Structures are given as C-alpha cells and as structure tokens.
Amino acid sequence: MANAKVIQAKQEAVDAVTSKLRESATTVVADYRGLNVAQVTELRKQLREAGVEFQVLKNTLVRRATAAAELTELDEVLTGPTAIAFSAEDAVAPAKILSDFAKKNDALKVKGGVVEGRVVGVDQIKALADLPSREGLLSMLLSVLQAPMRNFALAVKAVAEKEEGGASA
C-alpha cells in the first residue's frame, strides 16, 4: 500500500509543477552546480523578495510536467542539477535576478525557460532580463501619459503670463 501513496505523492508533485508551468508569466531554468550554501541562500532571498518561487526539482518530474503542459521543447535543457524559478506576476523579475546573479557568480548558468507559454532559449531570457522591471515600465508609461497634460499646462501658463504682461504695459 505504501507504493500507491508514493505514486500518488509523485503525481501530485507533477501536477503542481504542471500548473506552475501553465500559470507562470515566466519560468527560468538554471544550473546551480557550484554555488555554495550562502550564495544559494542569497539568491533565494532576492527571488523571494520579488515574489518569485525557486525550487530544485528532479528532471524526470519536470519532464512529466512539461509533457502534461505541452512544453516538451523545454526537456532539452533538463540535464544536470536543475533549479527552476516561477513567477506568476512579474515576467521580467526571474530573468533579471537570475541573469544578474549569474554575472556575479559564474557557477550559476541560465539554461532556458518559458515566457508566456512559449519555450525560449538563453538569449531570449537574457534579452528579457535587460528590460526594465514592471515598475520601471509603468513609470515610463505614466510619464508618457502625463507629458501632453504637462505641455498643455505650460502653454496655458505662458499665455496667461503674456496676457498679464500685455495688460500692465
């Protein structure tokens, strides 16, 4: 009977990873071999602060999940020790944090991932990491939206000052 419980537990783990793969805005797969405990702890802290879930998973479990999620192209990068970062909200955060961490720590290697349901390679993950964060993008959008209003206000002020200057002369 213990066998049935083990199989059920493994199936639940596969189902959990499958749902994370489907629901995540971005999933990044990395090889963490060579990082010491302090480095992994620091990486986990940075990811947790950004709302990114980071797990070390067995490749066979992830392969079953990719088959269920119809993302089997990801299986190519599932070799060696595998850690996966899942982010349901911020598409840029896991790519940015892992890429920045990999620049400072040669032992961490980004292998690929899934962005908006599409399997991507290392180059696309690095390109995503170069984008501004969600907050940065929102502030840029806000700035663009405010510019016409600000220009209009400056024009009205200039006209009012000109009128005042003309009236007193």
Side-chain angles (χ1 to χ4, degrees):
M1 210 56 198
N3 234 357
K5 286 183 180 179
V6 170
I7 290 171
Q8 182 182 355
K10 287 183 179 181
Q11 185 57 47
E12 288 172 4
V14 168
D15 292 344
V17 173
T18 301
S19 68
K20 287 177 189 173
L21 284 169
R22 287 182 178 150
E23 296 166 8
S24 291
T26 301
T27 301
V28 179
V29 179
D31 181 347
Y32 63 94
R33 206 179 347 202
L35 291 178
N36 62 36
V37 174
Q39 291 169 322
V40 171
T41 303
E42 176 59 28
L43 177 59
R44 285 183 185 271
K45 178 180 175 255
Q46 290 177 22
L47 290 165
R48 189 174 37 252
E49 287 171 356
V52 177
E53 187 177 343
F54 187 70
Q55 293 181 319
V56 173
L57 298 165
K58 289 187 175 190
N59 291 329
T60 53
L61 184 142
V62 178
R63 281 191 189 98
R64 289 184 180 168
T66 59
E70 299 176 1
L71 297 167
T72 54
E73 303 91 34
L74 191 64
D75 292 353
E76 295 174 19
V77 298
L78 297 176
T79 57
T82 302
I84 302 179
F86 300 98
S87 177
E89 294 163 16
D90 190 346
V92 178
K96 184 177 281 303
I97 293 169
L98 288 171
S99 292
D100 289 348
F101 198 85
K103 288 176 189 172
K104 297 174 192 158
N105 301 280
D106 292 337
L108 182 72
K109 304 280 187 258
V110 175
K111 299 196 281 186
V114 180
V115 178
E116 299 293 335
R118 208 180 89 230
V119 176
V120 296
V122 178
D123 295 338
Q124 288 100 336
I125 294 293
K126 288 183 180 177
L128 183 62
D130 292 338
L131 290 175
S133 68
R134 183 175 188 273
E135 290 77 22
L137 289 170
L138 287 174
S139 75
M140 285 181 202
L141 176 63
L142 184 62
S143 174
V144 167
L145 293 175
Q146 285 179 337
M149 192 68 83
R150 185 175 31 249
N151 292 341
F152 178 72
L154 290 173
V156 169
K157 181 179 176 189
V159 168
E161 288 174 353
K162 184 178 178 189
E163 297 269 327
E164 268 184 27
S168 62

